[in-house]
Amino acid sequence: MNPTLLELATRVLRDPLSLVESHEDSEAYAALAPRLLLLTALAAGTFGATVGSYRGGIQVFYAAAKAPVLLILPLLVALPAIRSLWAAGGTEVPMARLALGGLVGLARTALLAAACSPALWLLYSIGVDYHVAILLLAASLGLAALPGLHVLAMIHPGHGLARVVALACTVAVFGLLGAQSGWILRPFVARPTAEVALLRPVEADVFDALDTSAASAVGQYGQWEVEPTGALGKLRRGEE
Amino acid sequence: MDALGPAPLPTLLATLYLVVGLVVAGQLHRGGHPATASVSALVAWPVLLPLTRARPAPVAATGPLAGRIMACLQALRRSLTDPATATLASGDELAGLERTLLAADARLGLVDRILDEARSDDPALTRSAERLSRARERSAAEIEAVLVELEQLRLHAAMLVLSGEASTLQDRVSRLVDRARAIEEVAAMDLGQARA
């Protein structure tokens, strides 16, 4: 019998490895994968709504709708790359096991991000600075992602240096894709006085933005001239 | 602030992603996977792609009609070896149909064993057993009806091979697959009503 979503959430948090290992055959996988996606969407939606509460209004719904995409997109894009990187290190993992490990890790990240929501909401409600609010969002997502990535580490069967390198590459790929996905899907945190938009135009990249936010958070305000870069940025330049 | 306008490349990529999602969802549906997996494939097909290559585990033939189900499907497979009928149903479609029927039949076997063990003079228990028995009869009748229709389909296919119009039966195979899948839902509704 399929567990309820609450029971599934408990297993995702407490015993993710046994959840992966008991659902590797195709029938169990087909039953579990949609439930993990639903759990991720609900938990990430809760986190997104909390982040959107910094601005309030329609931004709560926009952020709640975009947060599940923010979490799921890097997994969808990164899976083949992760498998290739692991294979390059001499570790062959069946795609089903890797995808299931990724889904369980993703659900774990989403649940932990949702668990961070009350603390984040409290900080936002006492009126922290906009740039601090962005850094808090990045920090809570980064923290929540670590136990999720740990699930992938658990399913990696290798040992020694090859395992360390493979896992470091995994963290790097997910980190880059997650950060850039967040940048493309922004705004999540919008200034209370800003005009609300579902998506902002593509400009520069996430690392410029985090650098600027970090500088602004310590009071070093400077002029930030953004330049559209990358495939989407070039398209935008072409429009102008 | 400007909203991101529709650009050719993102639109093309999004369309391509959706098209691949539709293809994967169709393959999962034909392979007999749950509808939730097919729907999920529309939005997250890369993580469901391994299912399109995996063969579902065979269902144990433990029900009272298992022999007849396997014989019926085997006969149908033999009938569809003619080039004129080969396109009526894919091997995956027939395998999915067989799995669904065997799974429904295995549930009948389970209910039979429960009813055998639940013989008692207690009126409440007797009433529950009667309701369960009625639900079991309805499921058995549905499986029987699908088997009869499969037999008819085999005969019609053989007749239509002679006239070269076998393709007119293609929809009928799909309808049978849907009907077999509905047995589980009907049984669940019957049991729900029995519990009420």
Side-chain angles (χ1 to χ4, degrees):
Chain A
M1 186 176 282
N2 281 329
T4 62
L5 277 185
L6 205 56
E7 288 165 345
L8 183 61
T10 306
R11 284 195 71 186
V12 164
L13 290 172
R14 288 190 176 172
D15 200 4
L17 188 59
S18 87
L19 190 63
V20 172
E21 287 177 345
S22 61
H23 288 79
E24 282 187 69
D25 73 88
S26 67
E27 210 167 312
Y29 185 169
L32 182 67
R35 298 169 68 77
L36 286 173
L37 285 168
L38 178 63
L39 193 62
T40 302
L42 291 174
T46 305
F47 178 73
T50 307
V51 171
S53 72
Y54 183 78
R55 166 67 175 78
I58 192 73
Q59 183 61 22
V60 175
F61 299 101
Y62 281 169
K66 288 188 293 183
V69 183
L70 168 67
L71 290 189
I72 292 170
L73 191 62
L75 178 71
L76 300 181
V77 177
L79 268 183
I82 299 293
R83 189 162 182 243
S84 304
L85 283 169
W86 287 15
T91 307
E92 289 284 351
V93 178
M95 193 60 180
R97 184 174 168 84
L98 182 61
L100 193 54
L103 280 174
V104 172
L106 183 68
R108 211 174 190 211
T109 298
L111 284 168
L112 291 170
C116 290
S117 296
L120 201 61
W121 177 77
L122 182 66
L123 287 168
Y124 283 178
S125 64
I126 59 173
V128 293
D129 177 65
Y130 169 70
H131 297 286
V132 176
I134 291 177
L135 292 177
L136 282 171
L137 162 66
S140 42
L141 266 184
L143 276 177
L146 290 178
L149 288 167
H150 183 58
V151 178
L152 284 177
M154 283 192 283
I155 66 165
H156 189 287
H159 301 281
L161 185 63
R163 185 168 193 257
V164 173
V165 172
L167 295 178
C169 290
T170 305
V171 172
V173 170
F174 274 117
L176 285 169
L177 283 169
Q180 189 61 23
S181 302
W183 180 248
I184 289 170
L185 292 168
R186 80 201 195 286
F188 289 92
V189 180
R191 284 187 176 87
T193 52
E195 189 183 328
V196 176
L198 180 62
L199 296 168
R200 276 195 205 146
V202 178
E203 43 189 31
D205 59 42
V206 65
F207 303 104
D208 285 334
L210 282 178
D211 193 31
T212 306
S213 280
S216 302
V218 293
Q220 295 173 2
Y221 295 96
Q223 192 64 33
W224 182 44
E225 285 298 333
V226 292
E227 185 181 348
T229 55
L232 294 172
K234 282 175 188 163
L235 275 171
R236 180 167 164 73
R237 271 188 296 178
E239 280 169 17
E240 288 167 354
Chain B
M1 193 76 69
D2 292 337
L4 184 65
L9 182 61
T11 310
L12 187 70
L13 289 175
T15 309
L16 194 64
Y17 185 87
L18 281 177
V19 169
V20 177
L22 277 171
V23 172
V24 174
Q27 281 205 353
L28 293 181
H29 181 68
R30 279 194 299 278
H33 289 294
T36 48
S38 303
V39 173
S40 302
L42 293 175
V43 287
W45 60 262
V47 289
L48 291 158
L49 211 50
L51 289 176
T52 58
R53 279 169 284 175
R55 291 271 163 261
V59 178
T62 54
L65 301 170
R68 221 180 123 203
I69 292 169
M70 288 192 289
C72 189
L73 266 296
Q74 194 57 35
L76 186 61
R77 282 193 188 96
R78 277 199 302 272
S79 307
L80 299 184
T81 50
D82 187 285
T85 56
T87 55
L88 289 185
S90 66
D92 281 350
E93 211 165 16
L94 291 182
L97 179 60
E98 188 174 40
R99 269 198 311 279
T100 309
L101 288 173
L102 284 175
D105 184 47
R107 286 193 294 273
L108 288 187
L110 178 67
V111 170
D112 286 347
R113 283 196 294 282
I114 291 170
L115 287 173
D116 278 345
E117 291 161 7
R119 299 200 188 288
S120 162
D121 293 334
D122 180 55
L125 198 59
T126 308
R127 276 198 299 278
S128 297
E130 280 169 4
R131 284 198 291 266
L132 183 59
S133 181
R134 280 198 294 275
R136 183 242 182 255
E137 290 309 319
R138 273 193 287 274
S139 283
E142 270 299 308
I143 296 174
E144 288 277 1
V146 172
L147 291 178
V148 167
E149 203 160 332
L150 280 174
E151 285 288 344
Q152 286 176 352
L153 179 73
R154 196 163 71 89
L155 296 175
H156 285 170
M159 281 193 289
L160 290 172
V161 164
L162 299 174
S163 61
E165 293 172 355
S167 59
T168 54
L169 291 177
Q170 205 149 16
D171 284 348
R172 208 164 145 189
V173 176
S174 302
R175 280 204 304 276
L176 272 178
V177 172
D178 290 340
R179 187 171 174 182
R181 281 184 185 147
I183 293 173
E184 188 178 358
E185 290 166 30
V186 171
M189 281 168 56
D190 279 347
L191 288 174
Q193 284 166 0
R195 275 197 294 271

